[in-house]
């Protein structure tokens, strides 16, 4: 009999902290060696014999069951400004407790966190913290939210979901910084617990995803469409502009028009500068002029909130009211300046500004503060 698992079973952790995973199925013995499992978490659908791990290297077949080997483990905890995620329209100026684990289910040649995403040795060096401890730490340090970031929370969805639920019980929002490379059932389960997400749209062709990321475009588009249309999750998008790789102007135009039509003109878009790293050191960093050109094209396609990133550019990182054109949020790096909102309305003309805003902005500033959540 083929076993199909969607929700993680409530089994006790194994001796090393691994837990039985969700989103997998046993493979019928008639199609190969007995004991194999298929991971249904992401579009790769890795089929694993006993003892093998998937592409992400953190999900393993143990005794005919799929386990998550990094549950409750993190490469470290740090309080960042929410703008660093980047999220510009989600409680601006507040601090966010950020953490991640090793591993990733994409193989981006330009990854700037490759020492985390591609290092198997980090697993044994990770700090341990259960979801309740993370929620408690976020509340104790005055964080408005907790972010699953640094690597992709998709591959540790069980840990992310449990932590998001624990945070919500303490009034702490859950933030996912992700590639969106996830299967539909797992997507619905994960984003039901997420309050805000920044999803990378790395390019707008299947060829780019296959060549530079080892993945495919369509699953990412499906995730973006699902989050925007079927959840209450606040959505922002990041597009890393890589010279000579994803800067084809026709693809840009098609991408910006797709975002406007499918996700809505008010979705904030961050156009960020590439810096040579990992396996992609054969080209220059993104010239600021290239970001400016992309920003103009995105606005011409109808997008209301388009920002530049990874460069010093105050004017293009401020938020302007789409009604009257006045500046309503001033940014000096990660530090806020003038703030002209009444809730989610422009103080000058009353036009709505898409996002989640408190009665006042936060005052966390640009600090990056490592913290100890507890645990060995």
């Amino acid at each position: 009999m083929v076993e199909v698992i969607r929700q993680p079973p409530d089994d006790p952790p194994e001796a090393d902290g691994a837990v039985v995973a969700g989103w997998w199925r046993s493979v019928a013995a008639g199609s190969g060696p007995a004991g194999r499992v298929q991971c249904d978490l992401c579009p790769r659908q890795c089929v694993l014999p006993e003892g093998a791990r998937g592409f992400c290297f953190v999900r393993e077949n143990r005794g005919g069951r799929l386990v998550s080997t990094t549950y409750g483990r993190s490469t470290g905890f740090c309080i960042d400004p929410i703008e660093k995620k980047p999220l510009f329209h989600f409680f601006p100026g507040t601090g966010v407790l950020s953490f991640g684990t090793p591993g990733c289910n994409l193989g981006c040649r330009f990854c700037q966190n490759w020492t985390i995403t591609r290092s198997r040795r980090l697993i044994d060096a990770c700090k341990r913290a259960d979801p309740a401890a993370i929620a408690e730490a976020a509340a104790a340090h005055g964080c408005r939210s907790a972010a699953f970031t640094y690597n992709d929370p998709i591959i540790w969805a069980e840990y992310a979901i449990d932590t998001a639920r624990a945070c919500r019980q303490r009034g702490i929002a859950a933030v996912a910084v992700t590639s969106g490379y996830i299967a539909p059932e797992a997507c619905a389960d994960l984003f039901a617990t997420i309050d805000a997400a920044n999803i990378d749209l790395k390019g707008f062709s299947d060829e780019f995803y296959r060549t530079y990321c080892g993945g495919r475009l369509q699953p990412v588009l499906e995730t973006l469409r699902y989050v925007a249309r079927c959840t209450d999750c606040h959505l922002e998008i990041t597009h890393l502009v890589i010279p000579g790789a994803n800067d084809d102007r026709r693809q840009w135009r098609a991408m910006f028009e797709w975002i406007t039509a499918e996700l809505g003109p008010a979705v904030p878009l961050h156009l960020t500068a590439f810096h040579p790293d990992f396996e992609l050191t054969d080209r220059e960093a993104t010239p600021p002029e290239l970001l400016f050109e992309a920003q103009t094209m995105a606005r011409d396609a109808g997008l209301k909130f388009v920002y530049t990133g990874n460069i010093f550019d105050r004017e293009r990182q401020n938020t302007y009211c789409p009604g009257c054109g006045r500046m309503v949020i001033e940014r000096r790096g990660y530090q806020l300046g003038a703030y002209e909102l009444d809730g989610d309305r422009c103080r000058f003309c009353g036009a709505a500004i898409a996002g989640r805003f408190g009665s006042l902005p936060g005052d966390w500033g640009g600090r990056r503060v490592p913290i100890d959540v507890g645990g060995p």
Side-chain angles (χ1 to χ4, degrees):
M1 180 178 178
V2 174
E3 184 179 16
V4 179
I5 300 294
R6 177 169 177 179
Q7 296 298 323
D10 191 22
D11 293 352
E14 300 194 4
D16 63 353
V19 300
V20 179
W23 312 286
W24 61 274
R25 67 189 63 214
S26 60
V27 177
S31 59
R36 294 186 304 157
V37 301
Q38 175 181 301
C39 180
D40 293 327
L41 176 63
C42 91
R44 292 188 179 280
Q45 295 187 316
C46 295
V47 175
L48 308 175
E50 166 65 30
R53 297 193 180 195
F55 180 93
C56 64
F57 72 77
V58 301
R59 302 175 78 80
E60 179 184 352
N61 180 349
R62 289 188 185 175
R65 301 194 304 172
L66 189 70
V67 302
S68 172
T69 64
T70 52
Y71 187 98
R73 298 186 176 200
S74 171
T75 54
F77 297 88
C78 187
I79 304 176
D80 292 321
I82 191 66
E83 287 77 11
K84 193 174 182 179
K85 297 304 102 186
L87 287 171
F88 279 13
H89 290 228
F90 189 75
F91 301 111
T94 59
V96 52
L97 176 57
S98 304
F99 69 101
T101 75
C104 191
N105 62 336
L106 285 178
C108 297
R109 295 171 54 197
F110 47 86
C111 182
Q112 298 185 356
N113 283 337
W114 64 271
T115 56
I116 294 174
T117 62
R118 306 315 307 165
S119 176
R120 295 171 180 255
R121 291 177 295 179
L122 270 180
I123 294 178
D124 293 334
C126 282
K127 299 180 179 180
R128 293 185 181 272
D130 64 32
I134 295 169
E136 182 178 347
H141 287 84
C143 296
R144 185 64 186 79
S145 54
F148 315 140
T149 181
Y150 304 140
N151 76 326
D152 202 311
I154 287 171
I155 65 168
W156 43 282
E158 298 86 358
Y159 189 23
I161 288 171
D162 288 350
T163 302
R165 289 169 174 163
C167 284
R168 281 186 171 179
Q169 291 178 357
R170 301 294 298 268
I172 307 296
V175 171
V177 181
T178 172
S179 68
Y181 203 61
I182 188 170
E185 282 192 347
C187 178
D189 293 338
L190 175 62
F191 283 99
T193 68
I194 300 298
D195 299 290
N198 187 295
I199 297 179
D200 283 339
L201 183 51
K202 299 173 186 291
F204 207 65
S205 74
D206 209 53
E207 179 183 3
F208 175 84
Y209 266 87
R210 289 182 183 276
T211 302
Y212 289 93
C213 308
R216 294 178 289 122
L217 171 62
Q218 192 59 35
V220 180
L221 299 184
E222 291 171 1
T223 297
L224 285 164
R225 190 183 286 113
Y226 178 84
V227 172
R229 296 182 177 186
C230 303
T231 76
D232 294 326
C233 178
H234 171 72
L235 173 64
E236 303 192 20
I237 299 171
T238 291
H239 176 66
L240 181 72
V241 176
I242 307 174
N246 63 359
D247 58 351
D248 181 279
R249 277 42 169 196
R250 290 172 299 180
Q251 290 182 10
W252 272 354
R253 184 173 296 107
M255 178 172 68
F256 301 146
E257 290 175 351
W258 183 90
I259 294 171
T260 302
E262 297 292 329
L263 311 181
V267 173
L269 172 65
H270 302 265
L271 299 165
T272 61
F274 159 84
H275 300 286
D277 208 337
F278 193 34
E279 298 176 344
L280 210 62
T281 57
D282 62 345
R283 62 202 69 205
E284 63 178 352
T286 309
E289 294 74 19
L290 192 58
L291 293 185
F292 304 160
E293 181 182 354
Q295 185 184 46
T296 298
M297 289 181 65
R299 287 173 171 170
D300 288 345
L303 291 173
K304 296 179 180 181
F305 305 106
V306 187
Y307 303 101
T308 60
N310 287 351
I311 62 171
F312 183 76
D313 180 12
R314 283 189 182 179
E315 179 182 350
R316 291 175 175 85
Q317 292 166 1
N318 297 329
T319 297
Y320 297 90
C321 173
C324 66
R326 301 278 293 272
M327 183 180 70
V328 290
I329 305 177
E330 180 184 16
R331 297 183 181 86
R332 305 164 183 168
Y334 297 129
Q335 184 80 40
L336 297 188
Y339 190 85
E340 305 293 348
L341 292 181
D342 288 326
D344 64 352
R345 298 279 174 175
C346 169
R347 190 167 291 164
F348 303 110
C349 74
I353 307 298
R356 308 270 183 89
F357 306 96
S359 57
L360 294 171
D363 59 359
W364 180 257
R367 291 173 289 165
R368 184 177 189 275
V369 180
I371 65 168
D372 183 6
V373 170

